[in-house]
Amino acid sequence: MDTLLVTGPGGSGRTTVAAATALAAARAGRRTLLLTADRHDTLPAVLGTPAPAGLSVRYVDSGAHFRRELLALQDRAATALDMFGAQRLDEEELTELPGAGELALLRAVREAAAEPYDLVVVDLPPAPQALALLALPAQLRRYLRRVLPPERQAARALRPMLAQLAGVPMPAQWLYETAAHWDEHLAAVQSVIEADTTAVRLVAEPGPAGADAVHTAGTGLALHGLRTELLVANRVLPQGSADPWLASAAAQQDKTLAEWRDAYTLHTAAHLGRDPHGADDLASLALPAPDMTPRPVQWPVEDRLADDGVLVWRIPLPGAVREELDLVRRGDELVVTTGPFRRMVPLPSALRRCTVSGAGLRDGELRIRFTPDPGLWPQGR
């Protein structure tokens, strides 16, 4: 199954492009699911009702998901809650908390991956929130492993004795079971996000604001190893208008489009003069069915031991700015920060036996030099 993630700046027409893309794929004969957490009823207005034949649409109910998960957690922790005299929460009094919508959407993506679709198109939130959402599974799994290391679960049989010696209660079995449950769920979501058959379709209006947003989003997607399959320039104005204002706006758009053509596979969707409504309007945008040919994102390690005595790790970071770039080595991980984005990147096995000896940013690529540590590097005979 292929997964296409659609995002872009707020107000750029993400939902419209997601709907038009899903419709194009369905009409091309692919079993397609359009998945959205949109809370503003945008999608029914765009698609029309009922949805076009051959296209399945699913809305994520984040409130129901939050209530179901919290009640399940409360049941798993029943013994501990009773010990402390806690009063149980009822379903009727539960109101979802910030972040519940993101977790609900991640679960929906995981569940859709197990269903008999050829393509799942996911209508994501605006780009900054979408990037945080896509990074969430790996981040949460890392936090869980640090707070509740799986290898320490082997000692749970000793907890009653340790609790008596220490005089304080030790973590209960339900806590480890909950951590294992969440780790399994997050690992499944992470595998979908990081799969070679997952790609991103960016949407933006051409112009200074759209150019800045695409520049930032492109860097964040590259840092997290996500492939941009297509950039959709939405609401493109016609050229050659006799109206001075319209001609000036179109010229400004054309300048941005020229820059995007150099950096992305680009599709221009014409401004219809109104909000799209129904299958005919979506088809008039002429959005192509997504190209989901697997193309793994490559972060190669260049062997220059014979010439310079170093290994060079090459990380594509288009749009990164030297002044906003920071690197920190922590054990077997590298903390990479570029602008508002940060990622903990596991080092390839060969580089774990090296020390960082320098780094440079050239042509949109971060090149990190590693020198073998004599105490760890295999010695030749």
Side-chain angles (χ1 to χ4, degrees):
M1 185 205 74
D2 297 327
T3 304
L4 185 71
L5 310 170
V6 181
T7 187
S12 61
R14 301 180 322 278
T15 299
T16 297
V17 169
T21 299
L23 181 61
R27 286 181 168 176
R30 304 196 72 186
R31 295 171 298 176
T32 304
L33 171 67
L34 176 57
L35 188 62
T36 182
D38 177 65
R39 301 185 180 193
H40 304 290
D41 296 327
T42 306
L43 191 56
V46 170
L47 279 174
T49 52
L55 176 63
S56 300
V57 180
R58 184 173 302 166
Y59 299 89
V60 178
D61 187 342
S62 58
H65 173 266
F66 174 78
R67 291 188 291 272
R68 184 171 61 251
E69 289 295 317
L70 186 56
L71 291 173
L73 176 62
Q74 186 173 250
D75 289 341
R76 287 194 294 270
T79 302
L81 293 174
D82 292 342
M83 182 189 307
F84 292 107
Q87 185 176 0
R88 303 290 184 86
L89 294 168
D90 294 325
E91 182 175 0
E92 292 76 13
E93 62 181 308
L94 295 179
T95 302
E96 65 178 291
L97 299 176
E102 286 78 1
L103 292 174
L105 184 56
L106 288 175
R107 176 175 286 278
V109 169
R110 175 198 174 182
E111 292 172 348
E115 298 181 36
Y117 292 104
D118 299 317
L119 175 69
V120 175
V121 178
V122 186
D123 176 23
L124 288 177
Q129 296 96 307
L131 283 161
L133 171 68
L134 297 174
L136 187 61
Q139 290 175 338
L140 287 181
R141 292 188 71 204
R142 185 175 183 276
Y143 298 159
L144 281 173
R145 289 194 296 269
R146 290 291 294 273
V147 175
L148 293 171
E151 61 270 15
R152 294 189 183 177
Q153 296 186 38
R156 60 177 175 257
L158 300 176
R159 279 201 293 274
M161 180 183 68
L162 294 174
Q164 289 181 349
L165 293 175
V168 295
M170 300 299 286
Q173 174 67 18
W174 71 268
L175 186 59
Y176 285 98
E177 291 176 349
T178 299
H181 166 77
W182 271 101
D183 184 72
E184 179 183 358
H185 164 61
L186 293 168
V189 177
Q190 186 180 353
S191 68
V192 175
I193 294 172
E194 297 179 355
D196 294 345
T197 53
T198 295
V200 177
R201 183 166 282 194
L202 270 178
V203 186
E205 283 194 54
D212 289 344
V214 167
H215 178 92
T216 302
T219 304
L221 290 169
L223 177 62
H224 290 289
L226 294 164
R227 175 174 68 90
T228 301
E229 171 263 351
L230 185 70
L231 170 59
V232 178
N234 197 26
R235 305 186 185 115
V236 176
L237 299 171
Q239 297 288 328
S241 173
D243 183 286
W245 181 90
L246 191 60
S248 175
Q252 190 176 61
Q253 284 193 344
D254 198 49
K255 180 180 178 181
T256 303
L257 291 173
E259 296 172 356
W260 285 351
R261 286 190 184 97
D262 291 337
Y264 292 93
T265 301
L266 182 67
H267 175 80
T268 56
H271 200 307
L272 300 182
R274 63 183 186 282
D275 291 334
H277 178 76
D280 291 341
D281 279 356
L282 292 178
S284 71
L285 299 178
L287 279 163
D291 176 9
M292 301 304 293
T293 304
R295 295 187 184 94
V297 176
Q298 299 293 331
W299 289 14
V301 177
E302 182 182 354
D303 186 348
R304 289 169 46 181
L305 291 174
D307 297 328
D308 302 325
V310 298
L311 298 170
V312 180
W313 198 15
R314 303 172 61 174
I315 302 177
L317 287 179
V321 178
R322 191 183 309 275
E323 292 74 20
E324 297 179 352
L325 191 62
D326 186 52
L327 298 173
V328 178
R329 169 82 179 265
R330 289 180 58 90
D332 291 340
E333 294 178 312
L334 195 67
V335 187
V336 184
T337 303
T338 174
F341 307 109
R342 173 177 293 181
R343 184 183 178 191
M344 303 288 293
V345 186
L347 291 173
S349 57
L351 301 184
R352 296 174 187 176
R353 302 190 293 273
C354 302
T355 57
V356 178
S357 55
L361 184 65
R362 186 191 309 170
D363 300 327
E365 185 177 69
L366 175 62
R367 303 177 186 181
I368 312 169
R369 296 163 61 92
F370 289 82
T371 302
D373 185 334
L376 299 174
W377 194 259
Q379 301 297 314
R381 294 184 179 179

